[in-house]
Amino acid sequence: PPAELLTERRQAGGVRTILLNNPRRRNALSLPMLQSLRRDLLHDVKSRELRVIVIAAEGPVFCSGHDLKELSSEDDVKHHSQVFELCAEVMTLIQKLPVPVIAKVNGLATAAGCQLVASCDIAVASEKSQFATPGVNIGLFCSTPAVALGRSLPRKVALEMLFTGEPLSAQEALMHGLVSKVVPEDKLEEETMKISQKICESSKSVLALGKATFYRQITQDLDTAYKMTTKVMVDNLTLRDGQEGIEAFVQKRKPVWSH
């Protein structure tokens, strides 16, 4: 399909859904797919109306990872570098966005598709979903997926996935922290929207500050993390919504956020 049709973007009630929409190619993260996904993630991202982004997919495969046809020897090293660099940019972009990003997974997520799930802030999966990094089986070790995977899973679980290519079931993914919740397939939309709507009840500016701070402190040593987050807590109190929330609590009323 043309690049503009590879993803579908729709938004209502503060929730933007980005649908990976190339099921015939197992929603592979081709260069055009990555460009389309980046465009939809960044579209009007500072708008007060945007509060949550949900990444979902059409068809039985959430995302199969890179399009291997793009990685053949017919393409040069420059093209291969472009594919992997844009993929890394999209994965890191997800954590830099000022709103929470939820992966809504219903099916198989492999290689860079598994990386995409691991890179999201929250992941809700149906019971039939599976997660794998099978690159080793075709001679292409999943080194870039390993970055996200190694930060989401215990090291030995991540390495078993990377060394064997064997999939994790949805329940195993939940047990090891790759996903946040596992629900029956017919409850997936309802549960994802329930989380999204709960997020929409909070101040966008407070959540943006909190998300950015979380990812900064997670890589720091304990003393540095506490020093930095102590300052952020003070900064949070200077936000209009920081004061509004405390005043509303004291006055026993619902806060009116300015975002």
Side-chain angles (χ1 to χ4, degrees):
E4 63 269 17
L5 299 179
L6 288 172
T7 61
E8 179 185 309
R9 183 183 73 244
R10 56 179 181 265
Q11 188 168 322
V15 181
R16 173 179 301 165
T17 299
I18 301 172
L19 191 70
L20 306 182
N21 193 29
N22 192 11
R24 288 179 62 192
R25 298 289 301 155
R26 295 160 63 88
N27 294 314
L29 294 178
S30 62
L31 197 58
M33 173 71 93
L34 286 165
Q35 289 166 340
S36 187
L37 178 56
R38 179 177 61 181
R39 185 169 58 245
D40 285 344
L41 286 168
L42 287 171
H43 177 79
D44 207 13
V45 76
K46 293 183 179 178
S47 161
R48 193 180 295 187
E49 280 67 48
L50 176 64
R51 316 296 289 289
V52 187
I53 294 175
V54 174
I55 300 176
E58 188 66 49
V61 176
F62 175 77
C63 179
S64 61
H66 290 293
D67 186 339
L68 295 181
K69 287 187 175 180
E70 287 188 331
L71 305 181
S72 70
S73 57
E74 294 174 12
D75 290 306
D76 59 19
V77 171
K78 185 179 177 183
H79 179 79
H80 295 162
S81 296
Q82 192 180 4
V83 171
F84 290 120
E85 285 167 7
L86 179 56
C87 186
E89 181 188 333
V90 169
M91 300 300 167
T92 54
L93 170 64
I94 287 169
Q95 295 181 355
K96 292 175 182 174
L97 292 173
V99 295
V101 181
I102 303 173
K104 175 185 163 189
V105 187
N106 188 29
L108 188 63
T110 62
C114 189
Q115 180 185 3
L116 179 58
V117 176
S119 298
C120 288
D121 304 311
I122 297 170
V124 185
S126 68
E127 291 170 334
K128 74 176 188 180
S129 299
Q130 289 187 303
F131 306 86
T133 48
V136 67
N137 298 329
I138 59 163
L140 184 65
F141 196 87
C142 287
S143 293
T144 45
V147 175
L149 217 61
R151 285 160 169 75
S152 296
L153 292 166
R155 182 177 300 181
K156 289 178 173 59
V157 177
L159 285 170
E160 183 179 344
M161 288 181 71
L162 292 160
F163 288 155
T164 67
E166 288 296 303
L168 288 184
S169 68
Q171 288 296 338
E172 288 171 324
L174 176 65
M175 178 173 66
H176 296 304
L178 181 58
V179 302
S180 323
K181 287 195 174 180
V182 174
V183 295
E185 185 177 3
D186 62 355
K187 298 288 186 185
L188 183 60
E189 172 68 16
E190 178 185 330
E191 187 60 38
T192 305
M193 287 308 298
K194 182 178 169 186
I195 296 169
S196 300
Q197 286 161 0
K198 184 64 181 173
I199 290 169
C200 287
E201 292 175 10
S202 296
S203 160
K204 179 172 182 174
S205 54
V206 170
L207 286 179
L209 178 64
K211 175 174 171 174
T213 304
F214 177 85
Y215 285 113
R216 277 177 62 200
Q217 65 83 24
I218 205 74
T219 59
Q220 297 174 338
D221 66 78
L222 198 63
D223 289 340
T224 305
Y226 270 120
K227 189 174 180 180
M228 187 268 288
T229 54
T230 297
K231 181 180 182 305
V232 171
M233 293 291 284
V234 175
D235 292 343
N236 195 154
L237 287 172
T238 68
L239 294 177
R240 190 191 307 174
D241 282 349
Q243 286 302 312
E244 166 60 16
I246 291 171
E247 287 172 15
F249 178 81
V250 171
Q251 296 168 9
K252 295 184 171 58
R253 60 174 175 83
K254 285 193 73 172
V256 180
W257 306 123
S258 67
H259 305 295

